[in-house]
Structures are given as structure tokens and as C-alpha cells.
Amino acid sequence: MSTPLERGVETLKAQVDARVEAYFSSCTGCGVCAEACLFYLESGDPRYTPIYKTEPLRKVWKNDHTLLGKLSSSIGLSEPMTESDLSDWEELVYDGCSMCSRCSMVCPVGIDIAYLIRKVKEGLAAAGFVPEGLQMAGERALELGSPMGLTEKSLRNAISGLEKEAGVKIPIDVEGAEYLCMLSSAEIVMYSEYITALSKIFSAADITWTLSSKYFEATNTGVQKGDSGLAVQLLERMVKVATELKVKTVISPECGHAYTTFRWDGPNILGREYPFKVMHILELLDQLRADGKLKTSGSFDERLTYHDPCNISRRGGVLAQPRQLLNQFATNFVEMDECGEMNWCCGGGGGVSSNERAEPLRLKVFNIKKRQLDALNVSTLVTSCSNCRTMLEEGLEHNEMENIEVIGLTELLADHLE
Amino acid sequence: MFEQLVDGILWDIALVIFFVGILWRIIDVLRRGTRRDLSVPRNSGVPGAIMANIRGFFPRREIAPRVRMKVIAGYMFHLGLLILLFFAAPHVKFIAEHITGFSWAAMPYWAFIVTAQVAFAGLILLWIHRLLHPVTRLISRRDDHVGAILVFLVMLTGCMALAEISSELRVFHRFTVELLMIYFPFSALMHAIMFVPSRAYSGATFGRRGVNL
Amino acid sequence: MAAENRHNSGRVRKIVLFCVFSLLVVVTVPLIPYAIDAYAVAGKQASVEKVAALENPAINLWNDVRQRNERTQGLTQVQGVDSGVLINKAGEDWRRFRVEQLVPYGAWFMGGILGAIVLYYLLKGTQMMPGGPTGVRIPRTTLNQRTAHWFTAGVFWLLAVTGLILLYGRFVLIPILGSEGFAVTASACKEMHNLFGPLFILAVVAMFVLFIKGNMYNLGDLKWFAKGGGMFGGHVSAGRFNAGEKTWFWLVIMFGSALCVSGLLLVLAALVPGREVLSLAHMFHGISAVLLIAVSFGHIYLGTVGVEGTLDSMTTGSVDAAWAKAHHDQWYAEMMNDSAAVEAADQEQGSGLVEGGVAKPGQAPGV
Ligand code: SF4
Ligand code: SF4
């Protein structure tokens, strides 16, 4: 395990499991996946074809896990992996894929291509081919506890500010509370209205909740980067605070990948089940609504639409909840032409947003969203992921469409409480 | 000499490689196993796996217009080939004599011709498309082309032997079939079998989360 | 990456060239000795006929049987078209036409065209792009058009090869394969020819629908013809398609349709009343086929080694600006005004992409 290449190849080899084997054995090279990928469609460059992004893993699988591959490797006929097989893919995988999983929905033989790309990232990360922005975010997350470099102090400052400003009570480190709400850094720095909204909603529904000062960060740069070691460390911190505070349920904030990581991938990354439940904030809100604990009043009459964050809708399964919640008070709610499980990504998922190098490409692929919004003529764009929200705001600004206001669903709901 | 080889030992070898190879590939997948998914499921994964296997046969509405050509040509070829394989009169006879011991209704001659034409048109279109479309040109490997050419040869020799006037043509057809059978387990042609576990794995993953793949 | 792609397309081009040329050689070289032979046979036949013209007492009966002077019909209980005819003159005429005219003249015609092309190539060599490639790409064909083109080309050559074997195989292949070997080959070819024939109908229809735009003649084409298409120097002006290309298009459509109709009649012979219709169909089929095959040599030559940069329009779908300017100046001017299209094709070239991928969602190209 010395050179980057060897580290990368070893890591990739270890990634091959039954699914990888079945997937690569069944790919027919039909190219259908390309037609679902915003990066291919908007750039027109065939190298952004989803399955092409998994090439390093495919090569390792071919050389090391198939009979013909092994035979030809042993007599020196196969093309061995070279460093450029990894380095050339850094840009494709980290800049040219937002891990939106749209490709996984259309493959005729049922390949979950995003699953494979996630594994390719492990190899690239092990070999050190990671964009600088993401690398730094990972280091900050590990050292300071937040990829944006926020500390306990920043949290406390923000909270006391909010308490003064909005006159609400925001509990911190309350042992035995029913719900522990994790946050994404963006919600502390830019969208603190979310925290205020939480407080309003919980007090309206009359349930106990808390934030944690020791570890509040819900995002997981380890997953975005493809560094399982880092992912485990960050997850362990979350499990630790939740266990210490003896909460029954941990609430994942308005953040896409935090939800899939916590809710679906986390136990598998850690290799054990959680002693608590994990829910997305929208799931909780919808449950409260169904239980009659969350009543809204008034109506929101402006024309609005909902942007599905990929990791919450397509990869998370939170599809009906936002619609049910919105329909309570939004009188003019319209859907985009492709939404729900086949939504178009904002372009900034999978760590693309932390990667400054990818910005021109990201703004280019935003054109899909732009066309979707142009067709609807809405004035409000609701979403439930702070990363999507930033990306949408930037994209709209870039396209001079600031007349559309972007807002979080939790926040909008809190404004319409009875 | 060649005829005896093709009808005898080579056929046996091909049969063994074909079936053992496929079995071995399947076992290779299952052997690796998947770890039990430790997250708490929203739904059971089983219906997801089954539904994904059914829905996979139909392109999603959202991308259907962009892949119309692939889907139409794909169905022409695959359905045509399956029908030829199981309902061409010489095949029915062969299967009854050598494998099952019983036979079923074979297609009339004209139906055979029409089916073969549809299958050929599909295969040729798919292959041309593969070579011309920038995406498929980039991601296709030698394996994909060899598979396409072998299947083409099998179909071609089959149709050449249609008049059944000489045993040479029949033997030639059988020879290409044997080549195909030997090549099958090591190639992308395995998709004909592996699509089932692939769809099942993905369908179960998404199904547990409450998403229909 | 881009360099690698270009390298790849170079290799593809070489393979295509190789295939096309080996096909040409395989198809035509064996015909040459035969054609000479057939010519000698035709000479002999003529002298035999002179002998038959001598007085002979039984000649009238024989002339009636042979239907030399008029059409006579005998009586028989067998029901059916021509069942009362002992020796069918029309059938004999048809046989004569096939053996004495179609076979030798066809061989001469195809061989002649091929020879002329080779000669032209040896004299003139490949016509290069003036000033070399500029690197600016102009989109020329859509993915659908290219797919239709290669589908047609593939089916056409399958039919051409099997058809030529049926027409010339007796003379060329029997010496090599022996009678039995040839019987097998011929049977196989007949099956393939009948099988692929109907696909050619689809191909012709697709070509017509996808290429009709831009292929109507106009006045400027007269000038183009007058200048011999620039074959012997001088500048010729042309739009999207030049008069030569238009002519090739219409030849394909017309003789292709003739091939389809006559071919269908021959396949469905049982449903066709009368031998005359069938022999006529066969005549049309043979003449059209020989003609199209011969002209296709020219088409293939111009599309590959004849003119640098032409093949691109059928592989990648875009052509170099220098090529467009040299051969299709009016179209070039039109396209340069539409700079957006050029830019798109330009970008694609850099990444190895060509057409087909650039369509935006919501404007599905229907591929
Ligand atoms: S759609 Fe699926 S089978 Fe087709 S190329 Fe993509 S991954 Fe392979
Ligand atoms: S996950 Fe999304 S961005 Fe990545 S390859 Fe698939 S469709 Fe493209």
C-alpha cells in the first residue's frame, strides 16, 4: 500500500460485492442511462455517461473478478490499471456527477449506477484524487465538527441571537427530550429561520425537543468524498450524542444527503443498528399533521412549486409528505413536469457544491431546472434541503431570475401555524 | 469429419461450458452475498424486487421519447430471437428429439420468415446505432461487438440452412451456435440472465425506502 | 482524450475502407474472366442459329412447338396459366436475355465503372481539402439519417453479394466449389436474398423520408452538370447536396423501388398470373441491380478515398468547414450564418461527441 495507484486499486477491489458483480455482468452498454443524466444532457459530452463514470471500478472487477480477466491478467494480456485511470476520472466523478440517482431509475437491466459511482469515489479518495474543496471540507468536518468550520461557539451565538430576535425558546442539550434535531451548517449561518421554525412548530405541537451543542452537524463529508473511514467517525459522533441525550428519535434536517446517510446508509456504514429512530423533519411534520397535532391556518396564495431534493425524494422515499403538507395551506401549488422520483437535480449534490472547480459546469446543468421553472411561471420555489436551496438561489441569480423566491418547507409551514 | 465433430464432441463441450459457466457466474454473485440491510425499512424489499423486474421491461415515461429507437429495435430483436429460438419448426423438432422428448406447435414458414426479418432488422439497427451514437460508441467494448456479430452469424447461418437441402448448412449453423454457447458465460451476453438479480437488488434497495424503481 | 478519439475514428475509417475494398474485389474480380467467356459463348450461339435456318421437312411442326412465328396453345386437362404451351417462347426469350445480355453486359458495365474509378484515382489521387482541415465542424447529418444510411448500405450489400452469386456463381464459383458446393451456396444465398429483400423496402422508404429535403433539383444543378461536377477541375457551386448527390439519391429511390416491386413479384410468384410478368420483373430486377451496384462503386469511392473528409458526414455527422466550403459553398454560407449550430458541433468534436447527444430534454430528437 504505497503508491496512490496501489491504494486506489486495493480499495476498489475491496468494493466488489454481489451487487457490483451482478451489475457489471448485466450492463449491455445500451447508453440509456446517459439520457437520464443532467450532466450528459446539458454538456453534450458522452464522457458524462453515468456508466462511464464507473469505469475504474469496472476495470478492476474485470481484471480481478472474472475468469477471462484473471486469465488474461496472468498472461499479461489485460490492460492493467494506470494512474490516469484514476486521475482522469476525478473530474468526471466529483465534478460531473451529483449522485442524484436519476440514472439508476432508467437502466433497463436495473443497475443502480449511483451505487457504483459511490464506490468509485472510495477508490479515488483512497488514491488521493479528490477535489481540493471537498478535501478541505472533510478536514474541517473532522477537526472542527462542521465542514463549514462552525464550532459549538458559533452555534450558541446563533441561538442566543435567534432567541432574542424571534422571542422563542431553543432548548440545547436537554437530556431525555423526545426529539434530537440535527442541523446542517448552512442552517446555522444562512437559513437560521429553520431553527426558529422548529421551535415554533414543536411548541405548537407541544412536544419536547433539543439541539446538541457537542455535535450538531448532520451533513457527512465522508459520504460525499467517498471516505468510509471519515463517514464512520462522523456518524459515531452523532450516535454518541443521541445516546448520551437518551432521545427516542433523531430528526434529520432539511438536507438531502444527511437524510440518506443517517436514515438509510448509516447503520450499514457503521455495521450496527441504531438504538433510536431516524426521521426526516418532513416525515415528522406530516406525522404530526396526520395525528392532528399540527394545524395550519390561513392560506398561501402565490403560485408555488416544490423542488424535490434527490436524496430526500428519489433516494429517500419522502415523496408524499411534502405534498400533503403543502396542500394544507398552499392554494396555488403546481408540480414541475418531471418531479417526485424522477425530479431533476439542482446540480450541486454529492459534494459538487463544495467543489469550486465545478462551478461553471454546475451552472450549466442548472439550465434544466431553469427550463422547468420557466415553464411554470411561479413566484415561490419551496424545497427541503439547504444545499438545494443555496444551489437554486445561485442558479436563479446567475440566470437573472431573482423574482422567484426560494424557501424551506418547514419555514413556510411555521408561518402558517394556527 | 467436421460434421461428426460438430454434432458430437463439440456439442457436448459447448453444452457443458454453457450451463456450468452460467451456473458458476450465478454462484459467483450469490457467493459474495449482500450484507443484511441494517436500516429500518419503510416497506419490505421483496415486492420492490419483483416490481423492478416487471417495470424494467418498460421505459420510464420521462425518457421514453429519447430512447424510442433503442426500445423499438431492442424489442424487435429480443422478441424475434426468442420466438425463433422456441418456435421455429427445426428448433421444435431438435428440442423434442434431443432434450424434452415432447414437442409443441411450431410456426408456419411465412411466420418464421417475418419473425426473422423483424429480428434481423432489430439487430442491425441496434448495432449500427451502437457504432454511431457518441455515447454507445464510447462505452461499447470489444465484447459487445463480438457478441452482436456472433448472434448475427447464428441467425444468418440459421436462415441459410432454411431450405434444409444439405447437411453442410445445418452443421455450419450448429457450429456457430456452439461458438455462441461457449462464448456466452464469459461475455456481456450474460445480461440475458443477470438482469434478474440486478433489477432485484436495486428494486429491493429502492423498495425498502418506499420508491418504485 | 480528444486526441485518442480522433485516433479511434481514424482506425474505424481504415477498417471501413478495408472492408469496402475487399468487398469490391471479391465481388468483381472473378467476373472479369467470365465476362470474356460469355462473350465467346454469345458468338457461338449466333452461328448455331444460322444453321437452324436451313430447310427441313419437320421444320413447321418444330417451329410451332417452339412458338417461333406465333403464339399457339395446345389442349390439356391440366388447369393453369400457360399449361397448354409445350415450350414457352417468352421463357426462352427471358433465358436468352439473362444469359446473353444481362450477364455479360452487366459484368462489363460493373467492371468498366470500377476500372474507370481506379484509373481516375491513379491519375488524380485523393482530392484533399483546400488549405487542410480547419477544425471548425459543421453538422451535416442527424443520427437518424446516418442510421438509415448504414442500414440501407448493409442490407444493400447483403443483397448485392447474394444476388451476384446467384447471377454469376454458376460461372465463377462452380470451378472453385464444384457443382455440389455451389448448389449449397446458391441455396443459402437464395434464402438470404429472399429474407433480406423486404428489409430493403423499409430501407428505401426510410432513405426517401429522411433525405428528400434538399435533394430536389434546381437550376443551379444544370451548371454543375455542365462543369462535370468539377471532376476535371474548376470550381462548382452547390447547396446542401450537389447535383451528383441528388442524382444518386434519385437513382436509389427509383431503381431501389424498381428492385423492391420486381423483387416482391418474384418472391410471390405463385400469386402472379403469367410468365411474361415474371420475366419482365426479372429483367427489371437484374438491370436495376447491376446499375445500382455499378453506381454505388462511384458513391463509395467519393465517400471514402476519393474526397478527403466526406466520410465524416456519415460517421460523426459533422464535416470540416474547409470541406463544406470547397464542395458545398452555398450551404456553407447558410450554415456559417447559423453560428449556434456550428459552435455546438465544434464543442462536440473536442470531446468526441457528435450530434445525437446535444438535443435538450423536452426537445427529444426522437432517436
Ligand atoms: S442503461 Fe444500464 S445497461 Fe445501459 S449502458 Fe447504462 S448502465 Fe449499462
Ligand atoms: S447520479 Fe445523477 S448526476 Fe450522477 S451519473 Fe447518475 S444521473 Fe448523472
Side-chain angles (χ1 to χ4, degrees):
Chain A
M1 286 269 220
S2 49
T3 67
L5 175 65
E6 282 166 11
R7 279 197 302 273
V9 171
E10 279 312 312
T11 314
L12 285 174
K13 273 185 199 166
Q15 298 298 318
V16 178
D17 59 11
R19 285 175 70 179
V20 173
E21 171 102 28
Y23 288 160
F24 282 130
S25 303
S26 50
C27 177
T28 58
C30 66
V32 169
C33 46
E35 309 295 337
C37 177
L38 67 170
F39 286 88
Y40 163 69
L41 288 172
E42 284 303 316
S43 71
D45 185 342
R47 291 183 316 130
Y48 291 122
T49 299
I51 196 69
Y52 190 64
K53 294 170 190 162
T54 69
E55 200 58 14
L57 182 58
R58 199 199 65 85
K59 215 166 164 184
V60 165
W61 166 77
K62 183 91 195 160
N63 286 350
D64 257 78
H65 294 276
T66 62
L67 185 65
L68 276 193
K70 274 189 236 166
L71 276 182
S72 45
S73 306
S74 65
I75 54 171
L77 267 184
S78 70
E79 293 173 54
M81 288 283 284
T82 59
E83 195 159 309
S84 68
D85 281 326
L86 298 177
S87 58
D88 286 357
W89 259 258
E90 181 194 318
E91 191 264 343
L92 292 183
V93 170
Y94 287 106
D95 299 18
C97 173
S98 60
M99 299 296 290
C100 74
S101 291
R102 205 168 184 271
C103 48
S104 304
M105 305 298 282
V106 302
C107 172
V109 293
I111 300 177
D112 186 351
I113 304 155
Y115 175 83
L116 296 174
I117 296 177
R118 169 70 181 76
K119 286 179 171 289
V120 173
K121 285 188 170 187
E122 288 284 335
L124 296 184
F129 295 113
V130 178
E132 202 194 337
L134 207 51
Q135 180 68 29
M136 306 278 282
E139 280 163 21
R140 281 191 299 266
L142 194 61
E143 275 162 33
L144 304 168
S146 139
M148 286 186 161
L150 303 185
T151 58
E152 182 181 343
K153 201 159 153 249
S154 343
L155 178 72
R156 286 192 187 275
N157 282 346
I159 285 174
S160 59
L162 283 176
E163 285 186 328
K164 250 181 248 146
E165 195 184 304
V168 289
K169 180 89 194 71
I170 297 166
I172 276 205
D173 297 334
V174 180
E175 225 182 274
E178 218 168 317
Y179 298 99
L180 165 64
C181 291
M182 303 299 285
L183 299 171
S184 72
S185 292
E187 282 161 343
I188 300 169
V189 194
M190 289 182 283
Y191 308 123
S192 55
E193 307 90 334
Y194 171 73
I195 306 176
T196 321
L198 281 183
S199 148
K200 284 188 198 161
I201 289 167
F202 280 117
S203 71
D206 196 20
I207 31 183
T208 56
W209 70 294
T210 184
L211 298 178
S212 160
S213 66
K214 293 216 187 63
Y215 188 66
F216 52 83
E217 184 60 57
T219 65
N220 193 319
T221 319
V223 167
Q224 296 182 322
K225 187 180 152 195
D227 181 345
S228 286
L230 178 59
V232 167
Q233 291 191 44
L234 299 179
L235 273 169
E236 287 288 10
R237 290 181 189 173
M238 188 272 295
V239 174
K240 186 155 169 269
V241 294
T243 325
E244 276 172 8
L245 291 172
K246 302 195 183 68
V247 294
K248 291 197 196 74
T249 309
V250 176
I251 299 299
S252 181
E254 290 202 341
C255 171
H257 84 274
Y259 177 63
T260 25
T261 305
F262 261 17
R263 172 70 178 86
W264 300 110
D265 298 333
N268 299 312
I269 296 175
L270 289 177
R272 62 172 196 272
E273 289 171 29
Y274 298 143
F276 45 79
K277 224 174 126 187
V278 174
M279 279 175 114
H280 188 260
I281 180 69
L282 294 189
E283 283 181 282
L284 174 66
L285 295 181
D286 194 52
Q287 188 188 311
L288 294 176
R289 176 197 61 83
D291 295 348
K293 288 188 183 165
L294 196 68
K295 297 219 174 58
T296 55
S297 71
S299 62
F300 186 87
D301 300 326
E302 275 172 54
R303 201 169 156 83
L304 71 80
T305 188
Y306 177 67
H307 164 80
D308 286 277
C310 308
N311 269 306
I312 291 171
S313 297
R314 180 162 39 243
R315 259 202 123 76
V318 183
L319 289 152
Q321 291 88 338
R323 290 164 172 88
Q324 283 158 4
L325 289 169
L326 277 173
N327 279 332
Q328 279 182 284
F329 56 88
T331 50
N332 216 340
F333 172 29
V334 284
E335 290 274 21
M336 286 183 248
D337 55 347
E338 289 169 31
C339 60
E341 57 201 21
M342 282 303 275
N343 77 307
W344 284 108
C345 177
C346 64
V352 174
S353 57
S354 326
N355 173 5
E356 295 87 36
R357 185 181 68 193
E359 190 171 305
L361 183 60
R362 173 164 67 72
L363 288 171
K364 187 169 189 176
V365 302
F366 184 80
N367 278 339
I368 292 195
K369 202 88 250 169
K370 175 185 179 317
R371 278 195 300 275
Q372 280 195 303
L373 291 171
D374 280 345
L376 285 186
N377 190 22
V378 289
S379 59
T380 307
L381 176 55
V382 185
T383 188
S384 54
C385 164
S386 57
N387 188 48
C388 289
R389 191 168 166 182
T390 322
M391 295 301 107
L392 292 168
E393 281 172 357
E394 281 182 25
L396 291 175
E397 191 189 315
H398 180 76
N399 289 292
E400 289 166 9
M401 292 164 73
E402 288 105 329
N403 55 327
I404 300 179
E405 192 199 354
V406 189
I407 189 169
L409 179 43
T410 313
E411 197 185 319
L412 190 63
L413 187 86
D415 288 345
H416 291 83
L417 284 178
E418 198 164 58
Chain B
M1 177 47 197
F2 184 60
E3 186 168 345
Q4 278 160 1
L5 191 74
V6 168
D7 282 346
I9 184 81
L10 197 58
W11 174 251
D12 297 334
I13 292 175
L15 266 184
V16 170
I17 293 186
F18 184 70
F19 284 110
V20 173
I22 290 177
L23 203 70
W24 171 73
R25 286 292 294 267
I26 294 173
I27 290 172
D28 202 37
V29 168
L30 298 181
R31 174 179 66 89
R32 282 179 212 286
T34 44
R35 280 192 306 171
R36 191 170 68 85
D37 195 330
L38 296 167
S39 60
V40 186
R42 196 173 269 140
N43 298 327
S44 153
V46 179
I50 295 168
M51 278 310 288
N53 259 294
I54 297 167
R55 289 191 46 164
F57 287 112
F58 310 98
R60 274 187 178 266
R61 180 183 58 81
E62 289 83 356
I63 61 151
R66 296 190 58 81
V67 295
R68 197 180 296 135
M69 153 85 195
K70 295 180 212 268
V71 173
I72 294 175
Y75 266 109
M76 282 165 69
F77 163 65
H78 283 92
L79 281 183
L81 187 66
L82 275 184
I83 295 174
L84 291 178
L85 181 59
F86 290 111
F87 294 101
H91 291 172
V92 172
K93 211 170 114 217
F94 181 88
I95 296 172
E97 273 170 22
H98 290 85
I99 303 172
T100 55
F102 59 88
S103 70
W104 52 88
M107 287 191 286
Y109 180 80
W110 65 266
F112 176 95
I113 294 290
V114 173
T115 316
Q117 280 160 352
V118 169
F120 266 117
L123 179 59
I124 297 172
L125 282 175
L126 281 179
W127 196 52
I128 290 173
H129 191 78
R130 183 184 281 291
L131 288 172
L132 287 179
H133 196 290
V135 165
T136 42
R137 194 168 58 211
L138 177 69
I139 63 178
S140 297
R141 8 211 116 263
R142 195 183 312 131
D143 184 13
D144 297 313
H145 298 297
V146 173
I149 291 169
L150 266 180
V151 173
F152 183 80
L153 284 181
V154 165
M155 283 166 60
L156 196 68
T157 52
C159 292
M160 278 158 64
L162 202 54
E164 294 188 62
I165 59 152
S166 79
S167 73
E168 278 101 332
L169 292 176
R170 182 191 60 78
V171 170
F172 195 36
H173 177 50
R174 195 156 168 186
F175 177 64
T176 53
V177 171
E178 285 159 4
L179 288 184
L180 185 73
M181 284 165 71
I182 293 172
Y183 185 67
F184 190 96
F186 306 104
S187 68
L189 296 172
M190 275 301 285
H191 75 270
I193 288 156
M194 287 299 187
F195 80 91
V196 178
S198 276
R199 286 180 186 176
Y201 283 140
S202 305
T205 309
F206 280 89
R208 295 177 94 257
R209 304 177 181 198
V211 178
N212 298 320
L213 190 65
Chain C
M1 204 61 218
E4 192 182 308
N5 269 313
R6 236 164 257 152
H7 166 75
N8 266 343
S9 76
R11 207 183 49 183
V12 169
R13 203 159 308 166
K14 262 187 226 149
I15 297 173
V16 170
L17 284 185
F18 176 77
C19 293
V20 167
F21 265 92
S22 17
L23 242 180
L24 292 192
V25 171
V26 167
V27 171
T28 45
V29 166
L31 304 183
I32 296 167
Y34 165 70
I36 298 166
D37 200 33
Y39 198 66
V41 172
K44 248 185 252 157
Q45 203 101 29
S47 59
V48 170
E49 254 168 48
K50 257 180 232 139
V51 177
L54 288 178
E55 268 311 318
N56 179 319
I59 193 95
N60 284 343
L61 174 65
W62 184 237
N63 274 344
D64 278 354
V65 170
R66 290 285 270 109
Q67 318 238 349
R68 283 238 164 85
N69 306 320
E70 57 181 334
R71 190 180 164 84
T72 42
Q73 181 114 4
L75 290 177
T76 169
Q77 284 187 320
V78 179
Q79 302 283 307
V81 183
D82 282 351
S83 52
V85 181
L86 266 183
I87 293 180
N88 193 314
K89 180 157 180 299
E92 175 60 13
D93 288 348
W94 164 76
R95 193 190 70 82
R96 283 252 193 107
F97 164 75
R98 182 177 188 274
V99 178
E100 290 168 18
Q101 277 150 352
L102 181 61
V103 165
Y105 296 151
W108 281 116
F109 185 56
M110 289 187 289
I113 295 242
L114 199 64
I117 290 172
V118 171
L119 200 70
Y120 185 81
Y121 178 65
L122 291 179
L123 289 177
K124 290 255 179 180
T126 302
Q127 191 180 340
M128 307 303 268
M129 279 182 230
T134 59
V136 177
R137 307 296 297 184
I138 304 182
R140 183 154 170 86
T141 51
T142 66
L143 186 63
N144 281 347
Q145 285 178 320
R146 278 174 282 147
T147 307
H149 170 266
W150 290 112
F151 183 76
T152 310
V155 174
F156 179 79
W157 277 104
L158 272 168
L159 290 168
V161 171
T162 49
L164 286 174
I165 288 177
L166 290 173
L167 189 61
Y168 291 99
R170 291 174 63 183
F171 318 103
V172 183
L173 290 179
I174 289 182
I176 305 168
L177 300 173
S179 312
E180 257 176 53
F182 178 66
V184 173
T185 313
S187 155
C189 285
K190 187 207 146 237
E191 295 297 337
M192 274 161 62
H193 201 81
N194 290 356
L195 191 83
F196 284 108
L199 296 190
F200 190 65
I201 302 178
L202 289 182
V204 171
V205 171
M207 289 301 279
F208 182 77
V209 172
L210 290 170
F211 282 93
I212 179 72
K213 193 164 164 261
N215 262 315
M216 298 305 262
Y217 285 108
N218 56 31
L219 275 180
D221 293 331
L222 285 177
K223 247 197 231 154
W224 192 93
F225 279 122
K227 287 190 182 172
M231 257 217 303
F232 310 102
H235 177 76
V236 281
S237 184
R240 174 150 164 64
F241 294 116
N242 64 37
E245 289 167 316
K246 290 177 187 173
T247 306
W248 172 230
F249 171 78
W250 287 110
L251 283 178
V252 169
I253 298 303
M254 278 168 10
F255 288 97
S257 307
L259 280 168
C260 293
V261 173
S262 55
L264 272 184
L265 288 175
L266 292 169
V267 168
L268 306 174
L271 307 177
V272 177
R275 196 168 300 267
E276 283 83 358
V277 180
L278 284 181
S279 38
L280 215 62
H282 178 268
M283 241 169 83
F284 273 113
H285 204 77
I287 294 173
S288 308
V290 164
L291 199 107
L292 273 190
I293 292 172
V295 185
S296 80
F297 292 155
H299 172 69
I300 294 168
Y301 168 75
L302 289 172
T304 54
V305 291
V307 182
E308 184 199 11
T310 310
L311 193 60
D312 285 356
S313 64
M314 272 306 155
T315 53
T316 64
S318 66
V319 290
D320 197 276
W323 181 92
K325 201 170 169 186
H327 306 293
H328 299 271
D329 52 350
Q330 293 160 25
W331 177 68
Y332 169 76
E334 260 166 53
M335 293 308 281
M336 285 325 254
N337 285 336
D338 185 4
S339 58
V342 177
E343 236 164 64
D346 232 16
Q347 230 174 20
E348 292 148 20
Q349 187 67 14
S351 53
L353 174 79
V354 269
E355 221 271 331
V358 278
K360 301 287 182 279
Q363 341 171 320
V367 288

